[in-house]
């Protein structure tokens, strides 16, 4: 039976849609999950949303909506984003689900029965942004948040406490006995010294907060959001709902998190589990931050890149490659559009794309599109040796979460083969009959190296790998290739007809990318906030807005923006000219309800009289008109007030 591998992303806060820095955690996890599947593991990959707590309650209040409505809306945005980024998670958990409530309450019951809960009063400072307690809390001076350094808020109330202080020795023993528990190594030392410094008991309930999971034995309290959210890693797997699945896949092999939330995962989480007699996860893998101009990208700083925007301008595959190639896993990394463009052109267009298109073109030109069996091998061993070394290094690097090194390995092979083409000059030897066996060998080596490259790229760039696979004329799904058995071989490429196809990565021009980004940003910018001067109700009453049905619609000759509409206002019909010709086809308008300013002074345009004005929302930088509609049928001539 295949070995299991259970991995999680953090559960994302639903106060706002994700930014690119946050999306990185999930893209990394998706890559690991794809890699592990291709290594033969039985993978379960969970992601989800953290929907409770003061931060969400406050955001919802500011927006004037219920916290659950905010959670539903932002959760849907996460789902859409993950789908468009090719994220293939097996499991989802929302902390507002009933099965999650059951799991949180069950864990708590076990912790309490084991004697690790007591009631007291919490007095101290709290960071709502990180949902974290600030230690060293005297009464008068606010302690800055230990995680983000922001100002904290004072609170004092009755609370249930978890005896975290009793876990210091057990945690230190756990770190010592499981050297791989915190990855990478550098982060481990931070956590060990934090725990060696002494642990204080942790307040795990809030009385003044409404938005959370209630305690099973005291419904006046809800759980502290981290106690609630961390439990998502087991509730989403089946703890308290699908015991078979839970037992099969728990303990988790890896919780992947950003360094800002390492303490919650490496200290609180194993302690909660130990207290409930549930095994601790096998490892907490933490990565660094994406920075913009040397500052952490964060929703509250507002210096974020929207992953949806970058996806539309740059493309998912290039971004996935960039994020994994550019950041040395574990360290911080600056994000700049210039470096994305640079990598796209040098690694993807010149390196990979070029190798594929040259190979397809040469096999087409010299061998009618069919890859020959390797003829006379002469100095090709280095290409084969490079491939073997690259595969071994790639696996070792991937297993150690060194994604950028693993991708460097793949590009060593690509560069070696591009150089090999130049060394062998297929265009020259093609002219000499006696060199035919040599040319066969060169064409075969290029094709086989591309087959291996496609398989190695599949975890990071699934669609690109698929495209290379298809262009090579290979059947099946490249994602089904087993990386643990990947090796140079004569089949299946010898004798194979290449399918060819489009250029994989056209070169991109940095200026064009900036222009497109700006245009998209302007289009998605919030509408202008400045209002027209205040008017009284009497002023408004002067504007007679009426409903009407379009009974005729046609272009105005010589005016590409205008349509001539005949409107039925119930009590009369009249002609109105509307500047919507670029956005609405006349035939789609007939029968449609519109709103018209009925008492507007008539105007002549293009020799026609317009008796009123059709009302539309004006959207985006070029003021695209969007006609007003109603959510139920209304009679013609009704007045809008
Ligand atoms: O922390 N660079 O959720 P979240 C890299 N709900 N990663 C970043 C980043 C940046 N600039 N900014 C954020 C939470 N992240 C909790 C988790 S788990 C039981 C509860 C990462 O939406 C961050 O480190 O604030 C985390 O891994 C992820 O985005 C989600 O952050």
């Amino acid at each position: 039976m295949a070995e299991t591998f259970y991995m999680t992303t953090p559960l994302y806060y639903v106060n706002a849609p994700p930014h690119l820095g946050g999306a990185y955690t999930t893209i990394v996890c998706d890559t690991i999950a794809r890699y592990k599947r291709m290594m033969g593991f039985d993978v379960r990959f969970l992601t989800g949303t953290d929907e409770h707590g003061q931060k969400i309650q406050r955001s919802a209040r500011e927006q004037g909506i219920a916290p659950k409505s905010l959670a539903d809306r932002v959760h849907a945005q996460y789902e859409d984003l993950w789908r468009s980024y090719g994220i293939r998670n097996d499991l989802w958990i929302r902390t507002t689900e009933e099965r999650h409530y059951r799991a949180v309450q069950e864990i708590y019951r076990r912790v309490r029965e084991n004697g690790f809960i007591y009631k007291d009063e919490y007095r101290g400072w709290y960071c709502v942004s990180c949902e974290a307690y600030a230690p060293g809390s005297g009464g008068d001076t606010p302690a800055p948040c230990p995680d983000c350094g922001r100002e904290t808020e004072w609170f004092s109330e009755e609370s249930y406490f978890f005896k975290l202080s009793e876990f210091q020795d057990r945690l230190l023993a756990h770190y010592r006995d499981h050297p791989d528990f915190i990855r990478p190594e550098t982060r481990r030392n931070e956590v060990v010294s934090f725990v060696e410094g002494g642990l204080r008991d942790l307040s795990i309930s809030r009385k003044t907060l409404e938005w959370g999971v209630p305690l099973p034995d005291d419904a006046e309290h809800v759980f502290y959001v981290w106690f609630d959210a961390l439990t998502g890693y087991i509730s989403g797997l089946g703890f308290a709902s699908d015991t078979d699945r839970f037992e099969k896949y728990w303990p988790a092999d890896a919780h992947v998190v950003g360094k800002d939330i390492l303490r919650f995962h490496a200290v609180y989480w194993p302690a909660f589990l130990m207290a409930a007699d549930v095994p601790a996860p096998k490892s907490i893998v933490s990565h660094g931050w994406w920075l913009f101009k040397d500052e952490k990208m964060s929703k509250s700083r507002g210096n974020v890149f929207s992953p949806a925007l970058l996806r539309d301008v740059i493309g998912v595959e290039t971004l996935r490659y960039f994020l994994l190639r550019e950041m040395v896993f574990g360290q911080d990394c600056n994000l700049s559009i210039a470096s994305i463009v640079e990598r796209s052109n040098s690694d993807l267009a010149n390196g990979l794309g070029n190798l594929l298109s040259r190979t397809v073109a040469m096999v087409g030109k010299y061998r009618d599109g069919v890859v020959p069996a390797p003829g006379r091998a002469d100095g090709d061993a280095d290409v084969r040796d490079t491939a073997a070394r690259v595969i071994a290094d790639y696996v070792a690097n991937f297993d150690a979460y060194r994604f950028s090194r693993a991708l460097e390995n793949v590009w060593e092979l690509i560069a070696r083969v591009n150089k090999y083409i130049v060394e062998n000059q297929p265009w020259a030897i093609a002219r000499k009959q006696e060199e035919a066996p040599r040319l066969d060998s060169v064409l075969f080596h290029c094709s086989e190296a591309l087959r291996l490259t496609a398989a190695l790229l599949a975890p990071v760039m699934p669609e690109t790998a698929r495209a290379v696979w298809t262009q090579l004329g290979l059947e099946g799904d490249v994602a089904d290739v087993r990386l643990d058995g990947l090796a140079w071989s004569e089949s299946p490429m010898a004798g194979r007809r290449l399918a060819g196809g489009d250029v994989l990565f056209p070169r991109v021009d940095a200026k064009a990318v900036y222009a497109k980004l700006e245009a998209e940003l302007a289009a998605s910018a919030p509408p202008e906030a400045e209002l027209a001067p205040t008017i009284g109700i009497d002023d408004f009453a002067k504007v007679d807005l009426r409903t009407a049905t379009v009974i005729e619609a046609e272009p105005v000759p010589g005016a590409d923006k205008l349509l001539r509409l005949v409107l039925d206002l119930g009590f009369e019909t009249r002609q109105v000219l509307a500047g919507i010709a670029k956005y609405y086809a006349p035939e789609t308008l007939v029968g449609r309800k519109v709103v018209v300013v009925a008492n507007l002074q008539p105007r002549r345009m293009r020799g026609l009289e317009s008796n009123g004005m059709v009302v539309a929302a004006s959207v985006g930088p070029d003021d695209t008109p969007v006609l007003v509609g109603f959510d139920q049928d209304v009679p013609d001539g009704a007045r809008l007030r």
Side-chain angles (χ1 to χ4, degrees):
M1 233 181 18
E3 207 178 319
T4 61
F5 186 84
Y6 175 47
M7 180 188 47
T8 67
T9 73
L11 308 192
Y12 286 77
Y13 286 126
V14 289
N15 58 317
H19 61 77
L20 194 71
Y24 173 73
T25 319
T26 298
I27 295 169
V28 165
C29 285
D30 183 67
T31 301
I32 301 171
R34 288 173 186 270
Y35 168 76
K36 289 285 178 184
R37 289 186 200 111
M38 292 179 77
M39 290 294 282
F41 285 80
D42 172 5
V43 175
R44 285 297 173 275
F45 161 27
L46 170 124
T47 186
T49 36
D50 182 352
E51 305 189 354
H52 288 132
Q54 198 158 341
K55 175 165 163 145
I56 311 301
Q57 182 171 299
R58 194 170 282 178
S59 293
R61 194 163 290 158
E62 281 163 7
Q63 295 178 42
I65 55 175
K68 184 64 167 59
S69 311
L70 175 65
D72 287 345
R73 188 173 77 206
V74 178
H75 166 262
Q77 292 173 326
Y78 273 99
E79 263 200 319
D80 284 353
L81 186 80
W82 296 153
R83 294 293 86 91
S84 73
Y85 265 80
I87 306 299
R88 252 183 67 202
N89 55 300
D90 312 278
L91 304 165
W92 248 112
I93 186 71
R94 300 183 60 180
T95 58
T96 46
E97 288 177 56
E98 197 272 332
R99 62 183 170 137
H100 176 74
Y101 276 53
R102 240 186 297 147
V104 176
Q105 293 178 339
E106 177 57 24
I107 280 286
Y108 172 73
R109 254 185 232 110
R110 294 190 191 185
V111 174
R112 190 194 56 203
E113 274 159 28
N114 285 337
F116 295 113
I117 301 291
Y118 64 95
K119 198 170 178 180
D120 202 347
E121 163 127 343
Y122 179 82
R123 291 165 58 77
W125 299 91
Y126 189 79
C127 173
V128 176
S129 182
C130 297
E131 297 277 18
Y133 300 99
S137 314
D140 303 331
T141 34
C145 171
D147 295 313
C148 69
R150 280 193 200 88
E151 238 178 70
T152 53
E153 296 174 26
W154 176 258
F155 90 88
S156 124
E157 65 184 35
E158 174 192 277
S159 175
Y160 289 90
F161 281 74
F162 170 67
K163 292 184 187 170
L164 182 62
S165 57
E166 294 197 7
F167 287 84
Q168 183 177 11
D169 294 342
R170 278 182 73 180
L171 285 169
L172 289 172
H174 189 82
Y175 305 148
R176 194 182 53 236
D177 298 344
H178 302 88
D180 279 345
F181 180 65
I182 299 165
R183 314 278 300 266
E185 182 73 23
T186 41
R187 297 262 168 258
R188 183 169 175 271
N189 306 334
E190 273 169 41
V191 174
V192 170
S193 27
F194 175 80
V195 176
E196 279 172 347
L199 295 173
R200 296 152 58 100
D201 290 348
L202 184 72
S203 155
I204 57 152
S205 82
R206 296 289 305 271
K207 204 171 176 177
T208 48
L209 178 72
E210 290 143 38
W211 184 233
V213 179
L215 268 64
D217 52 354
D218 187 347
E220 281 193 0
H221 288 249
V222 299
F223 284 103
Y224 167 44
V225 66
W226 275 100
F227 188 89
D228 165 347
L230 287 161
T231 309
Y233 296 144
I234 58 175
S235 68
L237 185 60
F239 179 82
S241 62
D242 182 344
T243 315
D244 287 348
R245 186 170 65 198
F246 178 68
E247 278 171 5
K248 181 167 178 199
Y249 294 96
W250 190 260
D253 293 271
H255 292 310
V256 182
V257 301
K259 65 179 184 183
D260 46 327
I261 55 173
L262 179 60
R263 191 181 74 246
F264 301 93
H265 285 81
V267 182
Y268 298 175
W269 180 225
F272 294 156
L273 291 169
M274 285 171 184
D277 296 322
V278 176
K282 290 186 203 153
S283 72
I284 313 292
V285 181
S286 108
H287 62 75
W289 287 334
W290 281 99
L291 313 175
F292 182 62
K293 298 189 176 153
D294 294 323
E295 252 203 86
K296 182 188 178 215
M297 253 189 246
S298 79
K299 294 175 201 171
S300 51
R301 285 201 183 92
N303 60 346
V304 297
F305 277 104
S306 142
L309 174 72
L310 287 184
R311 172 197 66 203
D312 296 344
V313 174
I314 286 156
V316 165
E317 294 282 301
T318 302
L319 277 172
R320 285 181 65 120
Y321 170 72
F322 174 81
L323 292 173
L324 279 126
R325 175 65 186 81
E326 188 81 358
M327 179 177 260
V328 173
F329 193 80
Q331 296 177 14
D332 294 349
C333 184
N334 264 299
L335 188 134
S336 80
I337 300 298
S339 45
I340 299 179
V341 170
E342 162 66 24
R343 283 224 172 271
S344 176
N345 284 338
S346 64
D347 302 359
L348 300 178
N350 288 355
L352 172 65
N354 194 22
L355 176 59
L356 179 68
S357 51
R358 283 164 111 181
T359 303
V360 170
M362 290 188 302
V363 172
K365 188 163 173 196
Y366 306 131
R367 293 294 180 265
D368 282 336
V370 177
V371 178
R376 196 176 82 229
D378 183 6
D380 304 326
D382 187 46
V383 171
R384 293 194 298 276
D385 292 347
T386 305
R389 187 177 47 75
V390 157
I391 294 170
D393 289 353
Y394 168 99
V395 167
N397 281 324
F398 236 103
D399 284 340
Y401 302 104
R402 291 190 294 256
F403 311 109
S404 83
R405 296 293 301 281
L407 286 169
E408 258 175 53
N409 296 143
V410 181
W411 261 262
E412 277 168 48
L413 178 61
I414 293 171
R416 180 67 195 91
V417 181
N418 270 329
K419 185 162 160 249
Y420 164 82
I421 296 177
V422 177
E423 286 164 359
N424 282 284
Q425 307 217 339
W427 46 90
I429 55 179
R431 287 191 230 112
K432 301 180 191 155
Q433 191 50 42
E434 69 280 13
E435 293 289 4
R438 184 74 210 110
L439 182 60
D440 285 350
S441 206
V442 172
L443 297 178
F444 172 79
H445 277 70
C446 295
S447 309
E448 173 59 2
L450 275 165
R451 181 185 74 91
L452 300 177
T453 301
L456 295 173
L457 283 182
V460 178
M461 306 174 82
E463 292 310 321
T464 303
R466 216 160 267 152
V468 175
W469 202 250
T470 310
Q471 294 215 16
L472 293 177
L474 289 159
E475 297 94 24
D477 188 348
V478 59
D480 294 334
V481 171
R482 284 288 290 264
L483 291 177
D484 47 345
L486 190 69
W488 190 273
S489 105
E490 200 169 313
S491 66
M493 288 318 296
R496 182 157 297 268
R497 176 168 292 283
L498 300 189
D502 294 341
V503 170
L504 280 188
F505 295 99
R507 279 188 67 81
V508 283
D509 169 34
K511 274 201 213 106
V513 170
Y514 286 122
K516 209 166 158 201
L517 266 176
E518 262 163 36
E520 295 267 346
L521 270 175
S524 60
E528 222 178 298
E530 207 169 308
L531 293 178
T534 305
I535 56 167
I537 187 77
D538 298 343
D539 292 322
F540 175 67
K542 288 183 195 152
V543 184
D544 196 333
L545 292 165
R546 300 288 179 134
T547 56
T549 299
V550 180
I551 47 178
E552 277 176 39
E554 61 176 26
V556 175
D560 56 354
K561 289 188 187 146
L562 284 182
L563 289 183
R564 188 187 75 88
L565 308 177
V566 177
L567 304 180
D568 184 353
L569 275 79
F571 48 89
E572 66 174 60
T573 60
R574 55 160 89 176
Q575 170 175 291
V576 172
L577 302 182
I580 56 174
K582 283 197 173 153
Y583 307 94
Y584 289 90
E587 61 277 12
T588 62
L589 290 172
V590 175
R592 184 196 154 122
K593 197 71 70 184
V594 292
V595 173
V596 59
V597 184
N599 61 336
L600 199 65
Q601 180 98 56
R603 264 177 85 185
R604 285 191 80 78
M605 284 182 271
R606 304 267 167 184
L608 295 168
E609 190 169 81
S610 181
N611 286 303
M613 188 181 86
V614 170
V615 177
S618 168
V619 180
D622 49 357
D623 291 333
T624 304
V626 178
L627 289 172
V628 177
F630 293 93
D631 64 0
Q632 57 179 278
D633 208 17
V634 286
D636 291 330
R639 187 147 183 204
L640 279 81
R641 304 174 200 274

